[in-house]
Amino acid sequence: MDEWLKFLFICSLCLGAWTSVNLWVNHAGPKKVRQFTGVFVLVLLVPPLVGYLQLISAEIPAFFSFVRSTLTWWYGPLMYFIAREMLLLPNTPRGIANHVCAVCGLFVVTQLLSSAIPYGYFVIVTAVVAAYCTLAGYTLVKNASRLRRLNSSYRKSTFYWLQYLLAGLLLLCAMDIGVLVALHSHVHLDFLVLNSIACVFAIYVNGIVLFTLIKPALFELDDAQTIEHVQTNTGEQYKIIEVAADESTAAKNNVRYLELSDQVATTLINTLAIIMETDKPHLEPDENLTSMAGRLGITTHMFSELLNVHLNTNFYDWMNSYRFKAALLLLQNQTVNYSVTDIAFQAGFNNRNSFYRVFKDNLGITPAQYRKQYKAEFQKQA
């Protein structure tokens, strides 16, 4: 039995090390996603290492024992950061530093007060885990529409698979809290068994990472398959599967009389350009005619007039023009090899079919063809 456990621990360590190296060397996938996932993978190397040292009766270095005993403190913040990355919410260095400092401060306070307050360590670490689980849950609920879009239209994207990492972190939190409860209840625990469970979980996480971040092409349709998928049987070249709330709203607000003078319209257009540059509302899939009018402080009717009369476009085409430009920048990125699905999701398109339709309408080629052409031109200039 011990030999099988040694084999399990060694496999977990080797797979984790291989995954970590690939996350650093391979530029596939969003950078921050790779960074947070890399931290997660490194953290999961500790339990199999400690378990292996226990089996060979070696003395476990104090550093590894300390890290293993403090992992529970970091599962919560990591869960919160991954949830934000999954939903395309920014994780700024300052924000991350604030959370790290807060957790470190609470850990130090707990160590100082643990001897003076009965069950102080258990209460505080449980409170920290519960607080971050609640914060991550609130983030998911607050951005439920984006989460639904991810699950309905982007099931092959890197961001979709982060949900499995979140679920794993939640299970780890529950397991560690259960261990703490058992220890305070004076229940005997076999830590070798617990490390074995953590080892199996580490293999599960590494498998997800390798098959999503490292090899996203396995989950990608090629251009020919995508075009065939979105072709209709009525002779149309493309079929858009899109939530048409914005278009129906615009139809109901057809301009019946003009409210905006040319001077006011020019001022609003300049303000609108600043809003699009700074707030980037086109990256929000739920942005609609009403919400954009609210950003400008005008009525929906006036905003519809601004688009239809003064910009000679409609809301759908105008919003997708910004999303198209955002997608071009991601395709032109020579340092990170985003998958086409990830680019469509990050650019704010409601689904991949719409992304291909807009791309073909603007350039007459597919995103993959554009990236190949751009890369060839970039290499010639270099």
Side-chain angles (χ1 to χ4, degrees), residues 2-16 45-56 191-200 203:
D2 287 351
E3 296 303 319
W4 280 106
L5 286 177
K6 287 180 183 178
F7 177 74
L8 179 66
F9 289 142
I10 292 174
C11 286
S12 180
L13 287 169
C14 292
L15 184 60
L45 288 176
V46 177
L49 179 59
V50 172
Y52 182 76
L53 292 175
Q54 284 180 316
L55 277 178
I56 63 175
F191 284 93
L192 187 60
V193 173
L194 294 177
N195 285 327
S196 300
I197 295 173
C199 179
V200 172
I203 294 175

Side-chain angles (χ1 to χ4, degrees), residues 6 59 128 213 227 266 353:
K6 287 180 183 178
E59 182 180 353
V128 170
L213 295 180
I227 293 174
T266 300
N353 295 343

Side-chain angles (χ1 to χ4, degrees), residues 90-211:
N91 280 308
T92 62
R94 182 176 180 179
I96 295 173
N98 288 339
H99 284 278
V100 171
C101 290
V103 173
C104 288
L106 286 171
F107 178 76
V108 171
V109 170
T110 303
Q111 296 300 311
L112 294 175
L113 299 179
S114 58
S115 58
I117 303 176
Y119 303 107
Y121 181 90
F122 170 72
V123 171
I124 295 179
V125 72
T126 302
V128 170
V129 171
Y132 274 104
C133 287
T134 303
L135 192 58
Y138 173 76
T139 302
L140 295 175
V141 171
K142 186 178 179 181
N143 297 273
S145 59
R146 184 170 290 184
L147 186 61
R148 285 194 298 269
R149 181 171 66 102
L150 181 63
N151 281 280
S152 62
S153 302
Y154 291 97
R155 297 175 67 90
K156 296 176 182 178
S157 71
T158 298
F159 301 96
Y160 171 80
W161 290 93
L162 290 180
Q163 294 177 99
Y164 290 88
L165 298 186
L166 283 178
L169 276 169
L170 187 61
L171 289 175
L172 279 177
C173 289
M175 186 180 79
D176 280 13
I177 295 300
V179 169
L180 289 175
V181 171
L183 288 175
H184 283 283
S185 302
H186 305 290
V187 176
H188 175 70
L189 294 174
D190 188 339
F191 284 93
L192 187 60
V193 173
L194 294 177
N195 285 327
S196 300
I197 295 173
C199 179
V200 172
F201 177 78
I203 294 175
Y204 156 78
V205 170
N206 290 326
I208 291 177
V209 173
L210 287 172
F211 278 100

